[in-house]
Amino acid sequence: MTLRDVAKLAGVAPITASRAINTPDQVSAEVLRKVQEAVVRTGYVPNRMAGGLASSRSRLIAAVTPSTVMSVFMGTIEALNGTLFDAGYQLMLGQTSYSAEREEALLEAIIGRRPDGIFLTGLLPPGKSRTLLMASGIPVVESWDLTPTPIDMLIGFSHSDIGREVARYLASKGHRKMAVVRASDERAEQRARAFSEEVLQLGLTPVVEVNVGSSRSITSGRDALTQLLDACPDVEVVFCSSDLLALGVLTQARVLNIDVPGRLAIMGFGDTPLASDMVPALSSVRINGEEIGQLAARCLMDRAEGREVLRPMVDVGFSVIERDSA
Amino acid sequence: MTLRDVAKLAGVAPITASRAINTPDQVSAEVLRKVQEAVVRTGYVPNRMAGGLASSRSRLIAAVTPSTVMSVFMGTIEALNGTLFDAGYQLMLGQTSYSAEREEALLEAIIGRRPDGIFLTGLLPPGKSRTLLMASGIPVVESWDLTPTPIDMLIGFSHSDIGREVARYLASKGHRKMAVVRASDERAEQRARAFSEEVLQLGLTPVVEVNVGSSRSITSGRDALTQLLDACPDVEVVFCSSDLLALGVLTQARVLNIDVPGRLAIMGFGDTPLASDMVPALSSVRINGEEIGQLAARCLMDRAEGREVLRPMVDVGFSVIERDSA
DNA sequence: TTGAAAGCGCTAACAA
DNA sequence: TTGTTAGCGCTTTCAA
């Protein structure tokens, strides 16, 4: 079933059928009716590959994320996808699985599809992929971080600010011996560094840090607390790089009969649905991931449709959420 | 940058350049070298829309899921995506957000892209979408359930079998007053129904059921337990329709100082990473979601590439995982 | 408001 | 092994 078949059935030229389908107000009521009828009768579904090739507009947006299972980014991706779909776009999803090599192959595959825009979770460091992307001329949104030198557009927040603010918050609660439990990703490291620096600035005990590597499970959190207590038995508060890790620390604290927040306070990151439902409820840092997704969708569509992008760099900020655990 | 530019630079015909890129062993070493050099020098990335249009093979697979955040399906989608990507395919992701209306629009949009295959989480009930899909001739895999009348291929397991087996398992542990806490989705209902029937068969107290509606959070689980204890204070075990709900029930039990599994046993579903890390560790029903994704990828690619599909209907089964909570 | 012609960038089919 | 020709299904441009 092609446009020609529909046109023939409706007794018009293919281009007229195309207009009836895509820009119905450019066509007489009579023609519109006949074409619509023909579409229904034939079950015609336009071939968007052909349309995209002819118009150089694919109505496809690609999104790149490190992982999808239990990932903090999924709220963003879901919002992005929802906003795009309502406007007639579709989402292609790529996973890097935290591998730079894979990311490069992925970006080349994505560029090959000629999407109207690309959404990246995180920043793209200088390298072959970045060069390729910039050369392609495809609108890009980087996200979940800030930098003075984005590829194109940017919607994020400052991880250093978070580290500092959490340090001040915990200090204000009277904690003096602070620790960090974190995964080995760059943004977590950035938060941890700023956190440690601020703690020193405040004249408190230097921060003890446990790096759980690339596994970001509850178990890692449990193991990390054990390790931490070995190194520093009188630690008073742990700032975790994700709610999942915090949940692990919390779980292990319960197993060891350590009172939370009485003897040990715990702070998460991400404010996932898990956090508020824990007992004790987990204090965390809230990021409005949905907002990032929605804004990114708007930016990319504005670019794709030739409109000026009003705010190509947005800091969506964050908020420290005080609950029972810290 | 098009293939023509590359060909010109390499001093060959476009089709020869195409061969050098796509089927390098059909081309002399000399030509291969020249074309590769031209590709590097121009930064050429083939336009897959054009290639897809010409060859009627898009190398695109579409996947449809109800939701992505904290969803049990994401392991499947991740495995699907990984397997496909390694074979040169890409994934388009669509979300129905549990809306039939949206699902229909989504499927039409998907068909418009002429993907080489479509993966559905769940079964597609008879209706306009199903008709459209069957008419399109695109290979389809339905999943996470069984039916004698799939659209095309099917990779799943029996929810009724699960309900029955869990009932027998819990009965074997000496429980007599059983309850179900479930979300209002069809598969959860199927498990609950079979569970209740089997409990009656075994001559035990009829099952009390709490339906938490469409919200599938930890909070729903907590509320559900409160509700359940109101209705039936001496309940001995709760079979939940997801690990997340089970975690909620577990949390609330702790708040109410109810011993688990001593006074109340809890059984989850999905065996997500959460389950094994809880304290007490959550007994659950394990589904090999990754296997479903991998098998589906194989089936769809086999079909797309004209190979015979050896096993178009697969029951991947399940296993009851005994841990501390039940 | 409608249509004819040309072409988007690539590959299938055939020929040399 | 390489090239020529034709066309995938649609939209752009221009003309009526």
Side-chain angles (χ1 to χ4, degrees):
Chain A
M1 272 308 139
T2 73
L3 189 61
R4 271 178 67 176
D5 301 316
V6 172
K8 206 169 288 173
L9 198 72
V12 298
I15 180 62
T16 305
S18 169
R19 289 191 185 110
I21 291 168
N22 297 310
T23 50
D25 34 64
Q26 279 183 33
V27 119
S28 69
E30 169 68 0
V31 164
L32 182 56
R33 196 189 49 71
K34 284 194 295 186
V35 171
Q36 283 177 336
E37 194 188 306
V39 166
V40 171
R41 279 189 36 204
T42 53
Y44 171 69
V45 179
N47 184 330
R48 299 230 172 271
M49 278 206 293
L53 182 59
S55 65
S56 14
R57 292 216 29 222
S58 61
R59 292 193 155 271
L60 212 54
I61 303 277
V64 176
T65 121
S67 150
T68 55
V69 178
M70 291 263 167
S71 153
V72 271
F73 302 127
M74 289 321 287
T76 300
I77 300 292
E78 190 155 323
L80 178 75
N81 195 0
T83 310
L84 289 173
F85 184 77
D86 291 340
Y89 286 77
Q90 265 166 281
L91 189 76
M92 266 177 39
L93 188 67
Q95 284 167 228
T96 62
S97 310
Y98 294 95
S99 139
E101 186 186 3
R102 213 182 162 82
E103 184 169 63
E104 196 166 296
L106 183 59
L107 279 171
E108 185 149 346
I110 285 173
I111 293 172
R113 299 279 171 193
R114 304 295 191 268
D116 292 342
I118 298 179
F119 176 84
L120 301 174
T121 48
L123 306 175
L124 193 64
K128 201 176 143 199
S129 303
R130 190 178 164 112
T131 312
L132 212 62
L133 244 192
M134 297 189 83
S136 75
I138 301 171
V140 173
V141 168
E142 287 167 288
S143 68
W144 280 81
D145 205 345
L146 294 180
T147 171
T149 55
I151 297 176
D152 183 3
M153 297 175 282
L154 179 63
I155 301 172
F157 54 89
S158 163
H159 292 267
S160 304
D161 284 358
I162 290 177
R164 280 189 288 269
E165 186 151 332
V166 169
R168 285 194 296 267
Y169 167 78
L170 293 175
S172 80
K173 294 284 163 184
H175 299 294
R176 329 218 86 241
K177 298 226 168 191
M178 306 198 193
V180 162
V181 166
R182 69 168 179 90
S184 64
D185 89 78
E186 214 173 303
R187 289 177 289 267
E189 194 184 324
Q190 222 179 314
R191 295 193 294 273
R193 202 179 319 122
F195 180 77
S196 301
E197 283 167 12
E198 187 70 18
V199 163
L200 285 184
Q201 286 273 323
L202 293 167
L204 307 178
T205 319
V207 168
V208 179
E209 193 170 315
V210 177
N211 185 330
V212 300
S214 61
S215 91
R216 53 209 75 228
S217 66
I218 295 184
T219 307
S220 332
R222 294 183 59 178
D223 296 347
L225 181 57
T226 309
Q227 213 178 313
L228 181 62
L229 290 171
D230 258 14
C232 177
D234 54 350
V235 60
E236 291 168 23
V237 55
V238 190
F239 177 30
C240 301
S241 72
S242 73
D243 282 353
L244 219 54
L245 282 176
L247 178 51
V249 171
L250 184 60
T251 303
Q252 186 66 1
R254 204 166 53 238
V255 170
L256 299 175
N257 243 315
I258 295 174
D259 179 48
V260 174
R263 215 199 101 195
L264 182 71
I266 301 172
M267 187 90 192
F269 173 81
D271 194 34
T272 46
L274 287 174
S276 57
D277 295 331
M278 295 289 82
V279 175
L282 195 65
S283 298
S284 192
V285 178
R286 170 148 183 72
I287 308 299
N288 195 337
E290 289 75 20
E291 187 188 2
I292 294 179
Q294 277 160 15
L295 287 174
R298 289 268 145 260
C299 287
L300 290 171
M301 291 189 300
D302 282 350
R303 266 295 179 71
E305 290 159 25
R307 287 187 298 271
E308 202 201 341
V309 175
L310 301 166
R311 299 205 301 157
M313 309 227 329
V314 182
D315 182 345
V316 297
F318 60 90
S319 25
V320 173
I321 305 287
E322 177 169 356
R323 294 207 184 87
D324 305 331
S325 75
Chain B
M1 272 307 140
T2 72
L3 188 61
R4 272 178 66 174
D5 302 317
V6 172
K8 207 171 287 174
L9 199 70
V12 297
I15 182 65
T16 304
S18 169
R19 289 191 186 111
I21 291 167
N22 297 310
T23 50
D25 34 64
Q26 278 183 34
V27 119
S28 68
E30 169 67 2
V31 164
L32 183 57
R33 196 189 49 71
K34 284 194 296 188
V35 171
Q36 283 176 337
E37 192 188 306
V39 166
V40 171
R41 279 189 37 203
T42 54
Y44 170 69
V45 179
N47 184 330
R48 300 231 172 270
M49 278 205 292
L53 183 59
S55 66
S56 11
R57 293 215 29 220
S58 61
R59 293 193 153 272
L60 212 55
I61 301 279
V64 175
T65 116
S67 148
T68 55
V69 179
M70 290 262 168
S71 154
V72 271
F73 301 128
M74 290 321 286
T76 300
I77 300 291
E78 191 155 322
L80 178 76
N81 195 0
T83 310
L84 289 172
F85 184 77
D86 291 339
Y89 286 76
Q90 264 167 284
L91 189 76
M92 265 177 40
L93 189 67
Q95 283 167 230
T96 61
S97 310
Y98 295 95
S99 140
E101 186 185 5
R102 215 183 162 83
E103 184 169 65
E104 195 167 298
L106 182 59
L107 279 171
E108 184 149 347
I110 286 174
I111 293 172
R113 299 280 171 193
R114 303 293 189 268
D116 291 341
I118 299 179
F119 176 84
L120 301 174
T121 47
L123 305 176
L124 193 63
K128 201 175 145 200
S129 303
R130 191 177 162 113
T131 312
L132 211 63
L133 245 193
M134 298 189 82
S136 76
I138 301 171
V140 173
V141 168
E142 288 168 288
S143 68
W144 280 80
D145 205 344
L146 294 181
T147 171
T149 54
I151 297 177
D152 182 3
M153 297 173 283
L154 179 65
I155 301 172
F157 54 90
S158 163
H159 292 268
S160 304
D161 284 357
I162 290 177
R164 280 188 290 270
E165 185 150 333
V166 169
R168 284 193 298 266
Y169 168 77
L170 294 175
S172 80
K173 294 283 162 185
H175 299 294
R176 331 219 83 240
K177 298 227 168 190
M178 306 197 192
V180 161
V181 167
R182 68 168 179 89
S184 64
D185 89 77
E186 215 173 303
R187 289 177 290 266
E189 196 184 322
Q190 222 178 311
R191 294 192 295 273
R193 203 179 317 122
F195 180 76
S196 301
E197 283 167 13
E198 186 70 18
V199 164
L200 284 185
Q201 286 273 324
L202 293 167
L204 307 177
T205 320
V207 167
V208 179
E209 192 170 318
V210 176
N211 185 330
V212 300
S214 59
S215 91
R216 53 209 75 227
S217 65
I218 295 184
T219 307
S220 332
R222 294 183 58 176
D223 296 347
L225 180 58
T226 309
Q227 213 178 315
L228 181 62
L229 290 171
D230 257 15
C232 176
D234 53 350
V235 60
E236 292 167 23
V237 55
V238 190
F239 177 30
C240 302
S241 72
S242 74
D243 283 353
L244 219 54
L245 282 176
L247 178 52
V249 170
L250 184 61
T251 302
Q252 187 67 2
R254 203 165 56 237
V255 170
L256 299 176
N257 243 315
I258 294 175
D259 179 46
V260 174
R263 216 199 100 194
L264 182 71
I266 301 173
M267 186 89 193
F269 173 81
D271 194 34
T272 46
L274 288 173
S276 57
D277 294 332
M278 294 291 82
V279 175
L282 194 63
S283 298
S284 191
V285 177
R286 170 149 181 73
I287 307 300
N288 195 338
E290 290 75 21
E291 187 188 1
I292 294 179
Q294 277 160 15
L295 287 174
R298 288 269 146 259
C299 287
L300 289 171
M301 291 189 300
D302 282 349
R303 266 296 180 69
E305 290 160 25
R307 288 187 299 273
E308 202 201 342
V309 174
L310 300 166
R311 300 204 301 156
M313 308 224 333
V314 182
D315 181 346
V316 297
F318 60 90
S319 26
V320 173
I321 306 287
E322 177 168 359
R323 294 207 184 85
D324 305 331
S325 75

Short mmCIF file of all heavy atoms in Angstrom, two decimals, chain A residues 3 15 18 22 44 47 50 54, chain D residues 8-15:
data_model
loop_
_atom_site.label_atom_id
_atom_site.label_comp_id
_atom_site.label_asym_id
_atom_site.label_seq_id
_atom_site.Cartn_x
_atom_site.Cartn_y
_atom_site.Cartn_z
N LEU A 3 1.19 5.59 -1.29
CA LEU A 3 0.40 6.79 -1.52
C LEU A 3 -0.25 6.76 -2.89
O LEU A 3 -1.36 7.24 -3.09
CB LEU A 3 1.32 8.01 -1.38
CG LEU A 3 0.66 9.38 -1.38
CD1 LEU A 3 -0.30 9.51 -0.22
CD2 LEU A 3 1.71 10.48 -1.31
N ILE A 15 0.39 13.65 -5.09
CA ILE A 15 0.73 14.82 -4.29
C ILE A 15 -0.51 15.40 -3.62
O ILE A 15 -0.45 15.91 -2.50
CB ILE A 15 1.46 15.89 -5.14
CG1 ILE A 15 1.82 17.11 -4.31
CG2 ILE A 15 0.63 16.28 -6.34
CD1 ILE A 15 2.77 16.82 -3.19
N SER A 18 -1.21 13.31 -0.70
CA SER A 18 -0.24 13.68 0.33
C SER A 18 -0.72 14.91 1.10
O SER A 18 -0.70 14.96 2.32
CB SER A 18 1.12 13.95 -0.31
OG SER A 18 1.99 14.55 0.62
N ASN A 22 -1.44 15.27 5.04
CA ASN A 22 -0.53 16.03 5.89
C ASN A 22 -0.97 17.47 6.17
O ASN A 22 -0.72 17.99 7.25
CB ASN A 22 0.86 16.05 5.27
CG ASN A 22 1.44 14.66 5.17
OD1 ASN A 22 1.44 13.92 6.15
ND2 ASN A 22 1.90 14.29 3.99
N TYR A 44 -4.05 2.27 4.68
CA TYR A 44 -2.76 2.87 4.36
C TYR A 44 -2.10 3.53 5.57
O TYR A 44 -2.73 4.29 6.30
CB TYR A 44 -2.97 3.92 3.26
CG TYR A 44 -1.76 4.78 2.98
CD1 TYR A 44 -0.62 4.24 2.39
CD2 TYR A 44 -1.76 6.13 3.31
CE1 TYR A 44 0.48 5.03 2.13
CE2 TYR A 44 -0.66 6.94 3.04
CZ TYR A 44 0.46 6.38 2.46
OH TYR A 44 1.55 7.16 2.19
N ASN A 47 4.65 5.75 4.76
CA ASN A 47 6.01 5.29 4.99
C ASN A 47 6.89 6.49 5.38
O ASN A 47 7.24 7.32 4.55
CB ASN A 47 6.55 4.63 3.72
CG ASN A 47 7.93 4.05 3.92
OD1 ASN A 47 8.70 4.56 4.72
ND2 ASN A 47 8.23 2.99 3.20
N ALA A 50 10.38 7.03 3.68
CA ALA A 50 10.34 7.74 2.40
C ALA A 50 10.08 9.22 2.63
O ALA A 50 10.74 10.08 2.02
CB ALA A 50 9.25 7.13 1.52
N ALA A 54 12.65 12.33 1.67
CA ALA A 54 12.28 13.40 0.75
C ALA A 54 12.32 14.77 1.43
O ALA A 54 12.68 15.76 0.82
CB ALA A 54 10.89 13.14 0.18
P DC D 8 9.32 1.78 -7.47
OP1 DC D 8 8.46 0.70 -7.99
OP2 DC D 8 8.97 3.20 -7.69
"O5'" DC D 8 9.49 1.58 -5.89
"C5'" DC D 8 10.15 0.44 -5.36
"C4'" DC D 8 10.74 0.85 -4.03
"O4'" DC D 8 11.99 1.51 -4.28
"C3'" DC D 8 9.88 1.83 -3.26
"O3'" DC D 8 9.08 1.10 -2.35
"C2'" DC D 8 10.89 2.70 -2.53
"C1'" DC D 8 12.21 2.49 -3.27
N1 DC D 8 12.78 3.66 -3.99
C2 DC D 8 14.05 4.14 -3.63
O2 DC D 8 14.66 3.60 -2.71
N3 DC D 8 14.57 5.20 -4.31
C4 DC D 8 13.88 5.75 -5.31
N4 DC D 8 14.44 6.78 -5.95
C5 DC D 8 12.60 5.27 -5.69
C6 DC D 8 12.08 4.23 -5.00
P DG D 9 7.49 1.13 -2.48
OP1 DG D 9 6.98 0.09 -1.59
OP2 DG D 9 7.10 1.18 -3.89
"O5'" DG D 9 7.13 2.55 -1.85
"C5'" DG D 9 7.42 2.80 -0.48
"C4'" DG D 9 7.31 4.28 -0.25
"O4'" DG D 9 8.30 4.96 -1.05
"C3'" DG D 9 5.97 4.89 -0.64
"O3'" DG D 9 5.51 5.64 0.46
"C2'" DG D 9 6.30 5.77 -1.83
"C1'" DG D 9 7.74 6.13 -1.55
N9 DG D 9 8.52 6.51 -2.71
C8 DG D 9 8.38 6.05 -3.99
N7 DG D 9 9.24 6.57 -4.83
C5 DG D 9 10.00 7.43 -4.05
C6 DG D 9 11.08 8.27 -4.42
O6 DG D 9 11.60 8.42 -5.51
N1 DG D 9 11.57 8.97 -3.31
C2 DG D 9 11.08 8.87 -2.04
N2 DG D 9 11.67 9.61 -1.10
N3 DG D 9 10.07 8.10 -1.69
C4 DG D 9 9.58 7.41 -2.74
P DC D 10 4.15 6.42 0.49
OP1 DC D 10 3.52 6.19 1.79
OP2 DC D 10 3.42 6.18 -0.77
"O5'" DC D 10 4.67 7.93 0.44
"C5'" DC D 10 5.28 8.48 1.59
"C4'" DC D 10 6.29 9.51 1.19
"O4'" DC D 10 6.91 9.12 -0.05
"C3'" DC D 10 5.74 10.90 0.89
"O3'" DC D 10 5.70 11.62 2.10
"C2'" DC D 10 6.79 11.48 -0.04
"C1'" DC D 10 7.53 10.27 -0.59
N1 DC D 10 7.52 10.16 -2.07
C2 DC D 10 8.49 10.84 -2.80
O2 DC D 10 9.30 11.54 -2.21
N3 DC D 10 8.50 10.72 -4.16
C4 DC D 10 7.61 9.94 -4.77
N4 DC D 10 7.67 9.84 -6.11
C5 DC D 10 6.61 9.23 -4.04
C6 DC D 10 6.60 9.37 -2.71
P DT D 11 4.92 12.99 2.14
OP1 DT D 11 4.70 13.31 3.56
OP2 DT D 11 3.78 12.93 1.19
"O5'" DT D 11 5.98 14.04 1.57
"C5'" DT D 11 7.19 14.26 2.27
"C4'" DT D 11 8.05 15.22 1.48
"O4'" DT D 11 8.24 14.73 0.13
"C3'" DT D 11 7.45 16.62 1.34
"O3'" DT D 11 8.53 17.53 1.46
"C2'" DT D 11 6.89 16.62 -0.07
"C1'" DT D 11 7.91 15.74 -0.80
N1 DT D 11 7.44 15.06 -2.03
C2 DT D 11 8.17 15.21 -3.19
O2 DT D 11 9.17 15.88 -3.27
N3 DT D 11 7.66 14.52 -4.28
C4 DT D 11 6.54 13.72 -4.30
O4 DT D 11 6.20 13.15 -5.33
C5 DT D 11 5.82 13.61 -3.06
C7 DT D 11 4.59 12.77 -2.97
C6 DT D 11 6.30 14.28 -2.00
P DT D 12 8.24 19.05 1.85
OP1 DT D 12 8.83 19.24 3.18
OP2 DT D 12 6.81 19.36 1.59
"O5'" DT D 12 9.10 19.87 0.78
"C5'" DT D 12 10.43 19.48 0.48
"C4'" DT D 12 10.81 20.01 -0.89
"O4'" DT D 12 10.19 19.17 -1.91
"C3'" DT D 12 10.34 21.44 -1.16
"O3'" DT D 12 11.46 22.25 -1.51
"C2'" DT D 12 9.35 21.31 -2.32
"C1'" DT D 12 9.75 19.99 -2.96
N1 DT D 12 8.62 19.24 -3.59
C2 DT D 12 8.74 18.81 -4.89
O2 DT D 12 9.72 19.02 -5.58
N3 DT D 12 7.66 18.11 -5.35
C4 DT D 12 6.50 17.80 -4.68
O4 DT D 12 5.61 17.16 -5.21
C5 DT D 12 6.42 18.29 -3.32
C7 DT D 12 5.21 18.03 -2.50
C6 DT D 12 7.48 18.99 -2.84
P DT D 13 11.28 23.82 -1.68
OP1 DT D 13 12.52 24.41 -1.16
OP2 DT D 13 9.96 24.22 -1.13
"O5'" DT D 13 11.21 24.04 -3.26
"C5'" DT D 13 12.01 23.24 -4.13
"C4'" DT D 13 11.53 23.42 -5.56
"O4'" DT D 13 10.45 22.47 -5.85
"C3'" DT D 13 10.98 24.81 -5.86
"O3'" DT D 13 11.55 25.27 -7.08
"C2'" DT D 13 9.47 24.60 -5.98
"C1'" DT D 13 9.42 23.16 -6.53
N1 DT D 13 8.15 22.42 -6.28
C2 DT D 13 7.64 21.65 -7.29
O2 DT D 13 8.14 21.54 -8.38
N3 DT D 13 6.47 20.99 -6.96
C4 DT D 13 5.79 21.03 -5.75
O4 DT D 13 4.76 20.40 -5.58
C5 DT D 13 6.40 21.87 -4.74
C7 DT D 13 5.75 21.99 -3.40
C6 DT D 13 7.53 22.52 -5.04
P DC D 14 11.45 26.83 -7.48
OP1 DC D 14 12.79 27.23 -7.95
OP2 DC D 14 10.76 27.62 -6.44
"O5'" DC D 14 10.49 26.73 -8.74
"C5'" DC D 14 10.78 25.74 -9.76
"C4'" DC D 14 9.51 25.44 -10.49
"O4'" DC D 14 8.59 24.75 -9.62
"C3'" DC D 14 8.77 26.69 -10.99
"O3'" DC D 14 8.69 26.63 -12.40
"C2'" DC D 14 7.40 26.61 -10.31
"C1'" DC D 14 7.28 25.13 -9.99
N1 DC D 14 6.35 24.83 -8.87
C2 DC D 14 5.40 23.82 -9.04
O2 DC D 14 5.37 23.21 -10.11
N3 DC D 14 4.55 23.55 -8.03
C4 DC D 14 4.62 24.25 -6.88
N4 DC D 14 3.76 23.94 -5.91
C5 DC D 14 5.59 25.28 -6.69
C6 DC D 14 6.43 25.54 -7.70
P DA D 15 8.11 27.89 -13.23
OP1 DA D 15 9.01 28.10 -14.38
OP2 DA D 15 7.76 29.00 -12.32
"O5'" DA D 15 6.76 27.25 -13.77
"C5'" DA D 15 6.80 25.91 -14.27
"C4'" DA D 15 5.39 25.44 -14.50
"O4'" DA D 15 4.77 25.10 -13.21
"C3'" DA D 15 4.48 26.49 -15.15
"O3'" DA D 15 3.72 25.84 -16.15
"C2'" DA D 15 3.59 26.96 -14.00
"C1'" DA D 15 3.48 25.68 -13.17
N9 DA D 15 3.14 25.90 -11.76
C8 DA D 15 3.71 26.78 -10.89
N7 DA D 15 3.18 26.75 -9.69
C5 DA D 15 2.20 25.77 -9.78
C6 DA D 15 1.28 25.26 -8.85
N6 DA D 15 1.21 25.68 -7.58
N1 DA D 15 0.44 24.28 -9.27
C2 DA D 15 0.52 23.87 -10.55
N3 DA D 15 1.34 24.28 -11.51
C4 DA D 15 2.16 25.24 -11.05
#
